[in-house]
Amino acid sequence: MTETAVGSVALGEKTGSKSEQAYTAVKARIVEGTYTPGYRLVLAKIAEDLGVSVVPVREAIRRLEAEGLVKFERNVGATVSGIDPTEYLYTMQTLSIIEGAATALSAPLIDSVAIARARAVNAEMRDCLEHFDPVRFTALNQDFHSVLFEHCPNPHILDLVHRGWNRLASIRASTFRFVPGRAQESVKEHEALLQLIESNADANTIEHAARRHRSATLDAYLAQSNAGSVSAH
Amino acid sequence: MTETAVGSVALGEKTGSKSEQAYTAVKARIVEGTYTPGYRLVLAKIAEDLGVSVVPVREAIRRLEAEGLVKFERNVGATVSGIDPTEYLYTMQTLSIIEGAATALSAPLIDSVAIARARAVNAEMRDCLEHFDPVRFTALNQDFHSVLFEHCPNPHILDLVHRGWNRLASIRASTFRFVPGRAQESVKEHEALLQLIESNADANTIEHAARRHRSATLDAYLAQSNAGSVSAH
DNA sequence: GTCATAGTTATCGTATACGATTTCGTACTC
DNA sequence: GAGTACGAAATCGTATACGATAACTATGAC
């Protein structure tokens, strides 16, 4: 747990192919922040670094482009996707919808052991707040939701969740995360969510709560940059 | 209108590149049914057909793989994605969630002109039922929802809708569509949806109705293959 | 001093080529 | 006759090479 790169299902191409290798390597560097937004991804350079030719690197970059982690411009090159506030809004809004559904679908399948694990993670998050460790907090936050989703019955939805997370990870270093007080609320909402799941609340209620949990972060950000609410109801 | 291939935002790579050309061509053939599920996509063959080399074709195929239209197996090759009932369930369930959200987000932005257009399309669909023209019916069905979504404020969500549609298009020729009576209900639900939008119903109500509209088709299919309901509440 | 223009460099896009892997067919054995 | 082992054909995966395009730089005109 507490890893950074969330792998979307390795469609096709088993590990071992140079293409896959390049994909994994570049993705990791983006998600962990080695390549920051705006960073220029030169095919030949990456190819040399990884000891492969440009063809598989190009393929990897295009794949990352499809996931939104990279921006590609014809005859110009690729750069790590940036921190456009509009994109942030789109991503968070989409994620709130997807995560809401994922939570509702997973809820009936979550057993007491998983709940306990989630609670332990949440306790650690609370510690992080006291010791002010935002990096670890963010990682644990992902762990928390990973526990909830680990038995999600629809892999498509799970994949969309992971894409959203990776998208956010690529802009993690930016200003977006830092909204005063939001983290504290977040921990409380986690506990509330667990109680809803434990009490077998109906799917609608759980979905709404989970959705609100994500969109509240977006609202907090928007409020800070003095704009109106755009959360999904 | 009434076109088949719904283009997901042309990320990067302007038109004119061989890669893009290959992507568009192969995608169209899949969506329109020239390449049926299971069809073997041999890189060299496609390259020759299109008058390009294998490299851009390979890139195009990988892109289609990322969208779920194609299945790729290392050192074996690519085939058009099939009609696995489980996949159908996953796709429909995801689509019901995404379309629900898309409709709710779009509703406040739909003007009376668009409503009128949608109604006209729906009337045509009713005609198709009488003259039994399922192909046209399906195309019009997409048109109907396209009208609703044309001002969707979140392009990410719109893109997910299109991906789902294309995914379904690739299995259109299969048995899934044919559930007795469902088409008639569908037309009625369209009208109900339009009335909700006209009357400025709240976002939750609209979202729920739109979601139900899609998941009802899934339920009908599942009922026919004598299984229980798995629709999202 | 600033702007336009031509030449240079960096980088991409794609073709071709070849080694690697799988699949299929055939012959051989039990 | 069925199964196995070998060999040939098909196809993929990647390296290399080169033409095309855009970015950069320096030179000259006003």
Side-chain angles (χ1 to χ4, degrees):
Chain A
M1 279 280 182
T2 312
E3 283 148 22
T4 33
V6 192
S8 63
V9 198
L11 299 154
E13 205 88 1
K14 291 163 197 147
T15 61
S17 91
K18 314 266 177 116
S19 165
E20 184 69 21
Q21 182 186 331
Y23 170 77
T24 309
V26 176
K27 182 176 184 174
R29 280 169 177 70
I30 293 176
V31 170
E32 79 195 12
T34 309
Y35 295 160
T36 53
Y39 185 91
R40 183 77 191 284
L41 297 165
V42 179
L43 297 183
K45 196 166 178 304
I46 296 173
E48 197 189 349
D49 285 358
L50 299 177
V52 300
S53 87
V54 295
V55 178
V57 173
R58 182 183 164 84
E59 193 170 292
I61 299 284
R62 295 296 304 247
R63 223 166 123 190
L64 292 168
E65 185 199 9
E67 293 177 25
L69 295 180
V70 161
K71 195 163 161 293
F72 212 104
E73 210 173 343
R74 159 137 178 157
N75 279 322
V76 174
T79 52
V80 176
S81 285
I83 53 168
D84 182 352
T86 308
E87 275 296 301
Y88 180 74
L89 192 155
Y90 293 157
T91 304
M92 289 291 280
Q93 195 175 47
T94 306
L95 209 40
S96 86
I97 291 156
I98 300 292
E99 283 180 338
T103 309
L105 287 172
S106 302
L109 306 170
I110 299 172
D111 58 22
S112 56
V113 179
I115 298 255
R117 271 194 299 143
R119 226 168 228 135
V121 172
N122 205 34
E124 268 199 84
M125 289 178 74
R126 208 175 281 117
D127 287 351
C128 285
L129 285 180
E130 286 169 22
H131 303 83
F132 195 71
D133 188 346
V135 175
R136 184 156 170 71
F137 183 89
T138 310
L140 286 168
N141 188 44
Q142 226 172 64
D143 285 351
F144 179 87
H145 290 282
S146 291
V147 172
L148 297 192
F149 297 156
E150 66 190 356
H151 295 305
C152 179
N154 188 325
H156 287 198
I157 290 173
L158 200 49
D159 191 54
L160 292 178
V161 169
H162 287 158
R163 288 195 182 204
W165 287 357
N166 283 329
R167 197 77 195 282
L168 290 178
S170 76
I171 59 171
R172 185 169 290 165
S174 79
T175 168
F176 291 122
R177 260 185 323 138
F178 305 121
V179 177
R182 177 61 200 142
Q184 281 79 1
E185 279 182 52
S186 189
V187 170
K188 282 183 205 158
E189 286 167 17
H190 283 179
E191 178 53 34
L193 207 51
L194 290 178
Q195 286 178 16
L196 279 178
I197 294 169
E198 269 180 327
S199 65
N200 296 317
D202 72 291
N204 261 313
T205 308
I206 292 175
E207 175 162 8
H208 189 79
R211 186 185 280 200
R212 195 82 199 89
H213 174 56
R214 169 66 68 179
S215 60
T217 303
L218 173 58
D219 287 344
Y221 163 71
L222 291 173
Q224 206 179 33
S225 38
N226 58 51
S229 166
V230 192
S231 86
H233 46 264
Chain B
M1 278 280 182
T2 311
E3 282 147 22
T4 31
V6 191
S8 63
V9 198
L11 297 154
E13 204 90 2
K14 292 163 198 148
T15 60
S17 90
K18 313 266 176 119
S19 165
E20 185 68 21
Q21 182 187 331
Y23 170 77
T24 309
V26 176
K27 183 176 183 175
R29 281 170 177 69
I30 294 175
V31 170
E32 81 196 9
T34 309
Y35 295 159
T36 52
Y39 185 91
R40 183 77 190 284
L41 297 166
V42 178
L43 296 184
K45 196 164 177 305
I46 295 173
E48 197 188 349
D49 286 358
L50 299 177
V52 300
S53 87
V54 294
V55 178
V57 173
R58 182 183 164 84
E59 195 170 292
I61 300 284
R62 295 297 301 251
R63 226 167 122 190
L64 292 168
E65 185 199 11
E67 293 177 24
L69 295 179
V70 160
K71 196 163 161 292
F72 211 105
E73 210 173 343
R74 161 139 175 153
N75 279 323
V76 174
T79 52
V80 176
S81 286
I83 52 170
D84 182 352
T86 308
E87 275 295 301
Y88 180 73
L89 191 154
Y90 293 156
T91 304
M92 289 291 279
Q93 196 176 46
T94 306
L95 208 40
S96 86
I97 291 155
I98 300 291
E99 283 181 338
T103 309
L105 287 172
S106 302
L109 306 170
I110 299 172
D111 59 22
S112 57
V113 180
I115 297 254
R117 271 196 297 145
R119 222 167 232 137
V121 172
N122 205 34
E124 270 197 82
M125 288 178 74
R126 209 174 281 117
D127 287 350
C128 285
L129 286 180
E130 286 168 20
H131 303 84
F132 196 72
D133 187 347
V135 175
R136 183 155 171 71
F137 182 89
T138 309
L140 286 168
N141 188 43
Q142 228 172 60
D143 286 351
F144 178 87
H145 291 281
S146 291
V147 172
L148 297 192
F149 297 156
E150 67 190 353
H151 295 305
C152 180
N154 187 326
H156 288 198
I157 290 173
L158 200 51
D159 191 54
L160 292 178
V161 170
H162 288 158
R163 287 195 183 203
W165 287 357
N166 283 330
R167 197 77 194 283
L168 291 177
S170 76
I171 59 172
R172 184 169 291 164
S174 78
T175 167
F176 291 122
R177 263 185 322 137
F178 306 120
V179 177
R182 177 61 201 142
Q184 281 79 1
E185 279 181 54
S186 188
V187 170
K188 282 183 206 160
E189 286 167 15
H190 282 179
E191 178 52 33
L193 207 50
L194 289 179
Q195 285 177 16
L196 279 179
I197 294 169
E198 269 180 329
S199 65
N200 296 317
D202 71 291
N204 260 314
T205 308
I206 292 175
E207 175 162 8
H208 190 78
R211 187 185 280 200
R212 195 82 201 91
H213 174 56
R214 170 66 68 178
S215 61
T217 304
L218 173 58
D219 286 345
Y221 163 72
L222 292 172
Q224 205 181 34
S225 37
N226 57 50
S229 167
V230 192
S231 86
H233 47 265

